[in-house]
Amino acid sequence: PSPPSEVWALVSDAARLPEWDPTLETVTADGELWVGTAHTTRPDGKPLRLRADTARQIVERISAADHHVEWRFTFPDAPGANQRSVIVTLEEAAGGSQVTVDFAWIRGSGPRGLRRVVAPLARLVARPVVGIALWFQVVNLASGISRAMR
């Protein structure tokens, strides 16, 4: 229900990412880089199981213009890990803003090993599961933006 200018102020500012991205607890400036940290506890106080090499993320704003922003998240402690790309596009709509969220995992450059042998079969089996996982992540991000604007 918010105008595009207010939503833009939320989604285009790295410091405000934790307000709508449920994977981030904090984002702070470290020189010219933005560094995000993952949540270590659930809202009820129970600890989350988290790999140590994915606790930190480098946050980069790839582009930001005309109500379209792209964020890239990389794991500096896990150089072979996949990167996340989140693109948020805003349009004016009746009574507020229309928000479109695009999400992608960008393959890491880590060792492939056995993946080459089982890749065709694994892709066939994993494709629906990966699609559902990506859908959940997009819904989480879009819901986070909506919640933050209420």
Side-chain angles (χ1 to χ4, degrees):
S2 301
S5 60
E6 288 181 24
V7 181
W8 180 252
L10 173 72
V11 300
S12 65
D13 182 358
R16 296 189 68 188
L17 284 169
E19 293 180 41
W20 58 274
D21 186 337
T23 65
L24 294 170
E25 184 169 24
T26 64
V27 174
T28 55
D30 183 10
E32 294 194 17
L33 292 176
W34 287 93
V35 178
T37 57
H39 287 279
T40 56
T41 58
R42 295 191 306 198
D44 63 5
K46 292 183 181 177
L48 285 171
R49 291 173 49 187
L50 183 68
R51 287 181 23 197
D53 60 353
T54 60
R56 283 187 329 131
Q57 298 180 46
I58 300 298
V59 178
E60 296 175 85
R61 188 168 63 186
I62 304 300
S63 65
D66 196 31
H67 290 112
H68 175 92
V69 63
E70 179 178 359
W71 294 101
R72 177 90 32 93
F73 303 87
T74 57
F75 299 97
D77 302 321
N82 293 343
Q83 300 175 12
R84 277 190 317 145
S85 172
V86 176
I87 300 170
V88 180
T89 306
L90 307 174
E91 295 177 36
E92 194 162 337
S97 303
Q98 174 70 39
V99 178
T100 303
V101 177
D102 293 306
F103 181 93
W105 283 104
I106 301 166
R107 273 193 181 192
S109 60
R112 299 277 185 240
L114 185 59
R115 291 185 198 175
R116 285 191 194 125
V117 176
V118 296
L121 178 59
R123 267 187 251 139
L124 179 66
V125 173
R127 188 175 306 247
V129 174
V130 170
I132 291 169
L134 289 172
W135 180 81
F136 274 114
Q137 291 173 353
V138 168
V139 167
N140 249 344
L141 291 168
S143 296
I145 293 169
S146 180
R147 248 188 326 275
M149 296 310 302
R150 289 188 197 150

